[in-house]
Amino acid sequence: MTAGGLAPAKAGAVEFEAKITPIVILSCIMAATGGLMFGYDVGVSGGVTAMPDFLEKFFPDVYGKTQDPNLNSNYCKYDNQSLQMFTSSLYLAGLVATFFASWTTRNLGRKPTMLIAGVFFLVGVVINAAAQDLAMLIVGRVLLGCGVGFANQAVPLFLSEIAPTRIRGGLNILFQLNVTIGILFANLVNYGTAKIKGGWGWRLSLGLAGFPAILLTAGALLVLETPNSLIERDRLDEGKTVLRKIRGTDNIEPEFLEIVEASRMSKEVKHPFRNLLKRRNWPQLAITVAMQIFQQFTGINAIMFYAPVLFDTVGFGSDASLYSAVIIGAVNVVSTGVSIYSVDKVGRRMLLLEAGVQMFFAQVVIAIILGIKVKDNSSDLHRGFGILVVLMVCTFVSAFAWSWGPLGWLIPSETFPLETRSAGQSVTVCVNLIFTFVMAQAFLSMLCTLKYGIFLFFSAWVLIMSIFVVFLLPETKKHTY
């Protein structure tokens, strides 16, 4: 990819010699544990907010509504701004943190930035698990959000820069795979801790986030810094040594010289954020912003945040709702594996377009079922229809998991040249977190207002984003940068 903008890869472009070395695989797996932590945070909040003991301690108003047999609204019993702030505060904090993470990524390196993320995660986990009131709970979530901001800034860049070009897409999606594993892990933990007597199960759910936090921190200590980052900071000899080590060959001069040249051009850009606004960078910027907005308006995070709450709302009951969330988490993991296998074979656009059709169909079917069977004052959802709702949600989640989920991060990381890459990744994370925050803060209120129509709202956005892919999104497979 040229520095001037997004252009198709040249036919017959040189692919640098590189072996898939154990050190590359190990580094990518360890770095991608940032996704494991992110996914656990996404999944755990919805599960604990469905636990009566948690609600009674921190959100007594919501607890009262869930226990009131006379409440004439299935869709509105969880509608509470404080409850939504518990979930969304993480993403608001991540939004602020990503600006600091952009500086550390560029000036200190990808590895130290991942280490900072791990420390934030560890401190946030301790405070959350020990929370005595809502303020303490929110502080813990804010610190976790800072970790998300730093991890989401550094990890995708690290994976893109350390992987050989021919498998870059698949290895980069390791981040998203770990996000899905984290969500599944959180759902399994929530399912188990919800059965603990004594009112402390939610503490175990929040505290077990320490496991992926420790993995990320240890991984950040063990991995190598990327050659791109070392060269960018004038540590050329170290950069060449690391490049030789990760490529498993002595023939690294062509790739080394290209990185050096890209670094030289990067240093000529004194104000990378201002440079993003130049006309030559408009295509990359527009694609990045659009991809992040569209990713959130598929409705995926609303479902992942609140899957247990959503299923409980439509009459599944607390145990059944957590069980359904576990099924969805498993589908998410398996489907992300499909993306790893296919993304460098069939390309980015084909996955996005196929998934658009699948997600649109699933959401329309869910809206029709809920519109007919689940009224505000009744939840007469026959077992067969309930199973069909879960099946359609799984259909939707699987499509997202092999398309907009991983590609929402991969495509922006492939569009920006080195001189604006750190700033571009900061914009990617920033826009993603803004709209993640919006969806987390608004979903339960939207569910109360739109009821089953919320799935028609999301399906309309899926149609719009599919049109965007058809007419405006180029294929980024095998682009060099």
Side-chain angles (χ1 to χ4, degrees):
M1 180 178 294
T2 63
L6 185 62
K10 294 177 182 178
V14 176
E15 187 173 282
F16 300 117
E17 182 178 339
K19 298 177 182 177
I20 304 175
T21 58
I23 196 167
V24 167
I25 301 297
L26 180 62
S27 295
C28 289
I29 291 173
M30 295 303 289
T33 54
L36 188 67
M37 186 69 224
F38 186 22
Y40 190 90
D41 286 329
V42 169
V44 76
S45 59
V48 296
T49 53
M51 295 181 189
D53 294 321
F54 178 83
L55 290 177
E56 187 175 15
K57 182 173 181 62
F58 296 106
F59 305 98
D61 290 344
V62 178
Y63 177 75
K65 286 195 290 185
T66 62
Q67 302 300 309
D68 184 359
N70 298 315
L71 180 65
N72 192 33
S73 178
N74 283 323
Y75 288 101
C76 297
K77 57 187 176 182
Y78 287 97
D79 181 19
N80 180 278
Q81 288 300 307
S82 295
L83 180 62
Q84 291 175 119
M85 180 57 72
F86 162 67
T87 298
S88 64
S89 57
L90 182 147
Y91 305 99
L92 189 61
L95 170 61
V96 175
T98 191
F99 292 103
F100 296 95
S102 176
W103 186 90
T104 62
T105 302
R106 187 178 180 90
N107 293 282
L108 301 181
R110 285 49 161 162
K111 176 176 174 173
T113 303
M114 290 189 291
L115 181 60
I116 293 170
V119 172
F120 271 123
F121 279 135
L122 286 171
V123 177
V125 167
V126 171
I127 293 176
N128 261 356
Q132 296 300 317
D133 53 37
L134 182 58
M136 194 171 176
L137 198 66
I138 297 296
V139 168
R141 290 288 288 180
V142 166
L143 290 173
L144 290 174
C146 292
V148 167
F150 277 84
N152 284 10
Q153 173 74 17
V155 172
L157 284 181
F158 178 92
L159 295 174
S160 290
E161 291 175 349
I162 208 165
T165 304
R166 68 182 182 276
I167 61 166
R168 188 182 67 219
L171 286 182
N172 200 292
I173 292 174
L174 275 175
F175 179 74
Q176 181 66 22
L177 178 63
N178 274 267
V179 172
T180 63
I181 292 173
I183 293 171
L184 176 59
F185 179 38
N187 289 335
L188 288 169
V189 167
N190 286 333
Y191 183 69
T193 58
K195 300 180 181 301
I196 294 176
K197 306 298 182 184
W200 57 273
W202 62 268
R203 291 192 186 276
L204 184 58
S205 284
L206 296 178
L208 283 176
F211 174 67
I214 290 170
L215 286 180
L216 174 62
T217 308
L221 290 171
L222 295 174
V223 298
L224 297 170
E225 183 59 271
T226 69
N228 306 61
S229 178
L230 292 167
I231 292 168
E232 192 176 26
R233 290 177 287 130
D234 294 321
R235 295 160 62 178
L236 272 66
D237 290 340
E238 288 180 66
K240 179 177 281 189
T241 299
V242 171
L243 186 62
R244 184 177 293 110
K245 187 178 295 186
I246 65 175
R247 295 298 180 246
T249 177
D250 289 328
N251 185 26
I252 49 100
E253 199 66 23
E255 184 174 4
F256 175 75
L257 292 176
E258 180 166 300
I259 296 173
V260 169
E261 175 62 16
S263 177
R264 183 191 65 78
M265 296 176 64
S266 173
K267 288 181 174 63
E268 294 176 358
V269 181
K270 302 301 181 185
H271 305 284
F273 283 99
R274 190 183 305 167
N275 189 59
L276 280 178
L277 299 178
K278 292 183 178 179
R279 182 180 292 272
R280 68 177 184 229
N281 290 318
W282 285 1
Q284 296 100 315
L285 190 59
I287 287 171
T288 291
V289 171
M291 290 292 290
Q292 302 315 304
I293 293 173
F294 288 152
Q295 187 191 67
Q296 295 312 308
F297 277 89
T298 59
I300 186 64
N301 273 342
I303 289 174
M304 288 302 179
F305 295 151
Y306 301 115
V309 170
L310 175 65
F311 289 130
D312 192 30
T313 292
V314 299
F316 279 31
S318 157
D319 274 355
S321 64
L322 287 169
Y323 183 69
S324 300
V326 170
I327 294 174
I328 290 171
V331 169
N332 202 13
V333 172
V334 173
S335 299
T336 304
V338 173
S339 186
I340 291 177
Y341 174 77
S342 60
V343 66
D344 289 317
K345 291 180 169 34
V346 304
R348 285 59 164 155
R349 278 169 49 88
M350 182 61 68
L351 285 176
L352 291 171
L353 291 172
E354 185 282 330
V357 175
Q358 191 169 322
M359 289 191 293
F360 181 83
F361 170 77
Q363 288 178 321
V364 170
V365 172
I366 293 170
I368 292 172
I369 294 172
L370 297 186
I372 294 173
K373 302 298 294 183
V374 180
K375 307 300 181 184
D376 228 3
N377 57 357
S378 71
S379 55
D380 181 25
L381 193 63
H382 187 272
R383 179 178 177 82
F385 284 111
I387 293 172
L388 184 56
V389 168
V390 173
L391 181 61
M392 285 297 102
V393 171
C394 289
T395 300
F396 166 78
V397 168
S398 65
F400 177 87
W402 63 58
S403 63
W404 285 94
L407 300 184
W409 295 105
L410 175 61
I411 290 174
S413 75
E414 293 178 326
T415 61
F416 289 106
L418 185 61
E419 64 265 23
T420 56
R421 190 176 304 160
S422 182
Q425 181 66 12
S426 187
V427 170
T428 301
V429 176
C430 175
V431 175
N432 185 280
L433 290 174
I434 286 174
F435 284 90
T436 303
F437 168 76
V438 168
M439 291 309 304
Q441 189 64 31
F443 176 72
L444 294 177
S445 298
M446 291 172 65
L447 181 63
C448 178
T449 303
L450 298 176
K451 301 179 174 58
Y452 65 88
I454 193 168
F455 290 99
L456 296 177
F457 171 82
F458 289 137
S459 66
W461 275 99
V462 170
L463 181 60
I464 291 169
M465 63 185 71
S466 297
I467 293 172
F468 168 83
V469 172
V470 171
F471 293 104
L472 296 174
L473 185 69
E475 178 59 68
T476 60
K477 184 177 71 169
K478 293 186 179 179
H479 278 186
T480 59
Y481 56 123

